Amino acid sequence: VKRIRQKVGDDFIIIFRLSMLDLMEKGSSWEEVVELAQALEKAGVTIINTGIGWHEARIPTIATCVPRAAFTFVTEKLKPHVNIPLITTNRINDPFVAERVLADGHADMVSMARPFLADPHFVLKAEQGREDQINT
């Protein structure tokens, strides 16, 4: 990260995806996550995008049986330990839920990928007040 920062300069945004909760046996401890996040900030990362779980994990993180925004508490837990913006993710596929996550201070930004695959008109429908028509 330090060498990337040196090459691209201070005005370039570097986003690092950090697994915050591995949900795997022998995964990273919370102390290791905090230590790595702080080291990444010191090395020049601009934003940390918080990841939850691995594909190999037996605990679902994106299935519809998982409550919306179920893991934002993990991102919120890291906030006091770093001074850079944090992005939260996983099962945030409703504009009202995304707004609540931000308003409640769980994160500085919300990452959505699958919601835009499920409904490429997600943003337009939200903008037009047609949230009930968003395919989730």
Side-chain angles (χ1 to χ4, degrees):
V1 172
K2 287 180 185 177
R3 288 192 289 175
I4 292 169
R5 176 54 69 207
Q6 289 171 349
K7 288 282 188 186
V8 300
D10 292 335
D11 293 333
F12 191 86
I13 296 172
I14 298 174
I15 301 174
F16 191 98
R17 175 84 171 205
L18 175 62
S19 179
M20 303 280 294
L21 188 62
D22 290 342
L23 302 175
M24 301 279 299
E25 189 175 325
K26 299 182 183 177
S28 298
S29 70
W30 179 249
E31 293 75 21
E32 291 169 325
V33 169
V34 171
E35 182 180 343
L36 181 52
Q38 291 172 337
L40 289 166
E41 179 180 15
K42 185 176 179 181
V45 165
T46 315
I47 301 169
I48 294 177
N49 185 350
T50 61
I52 304 294
W54 293 96
H55 293 289
E56 299 83 4
R58 290 287 160 248
I59 299 170
T61 60
I62 58 173
T64 55
C65 62
V66 177
R68 289 184 169 137
F71 297 99
T72 62
F73 75 93
V74 181
T75 306
E76 180 185 27
K77 188 176 172 182
L78 183 62
K79 286 188 79 169
H81 299 283
V82 295
N83 296 301
I84 56 177
L86 299 177
I87 302 173
T88 196
T89 187
N90 286 62
R91 285 288 293 144
I92 303 170
N93 60 359
D94 176 287
F96 294 116
V97 172
E99 287 290 339
R100 188 187 77 236
V101 166
L102 297 173
D104 289 349
H106 289 204
D108 301 296
M109 292 176 249
V110 171
S111 173
M112 293 184 187
R114 286 177 185 86
F116 298 139
L117 294 173
D119 192 338
H121 303 291
F122 182 103
V123 173
L124 180 64
K125 290 175 181 177
E127 182 180 60
Q128 294 175 343
R130 299 185 297 132
E131 296 86 353
D132 61 325
Q133 295 176 16
I134 294 173
N135 180 31
T136 61

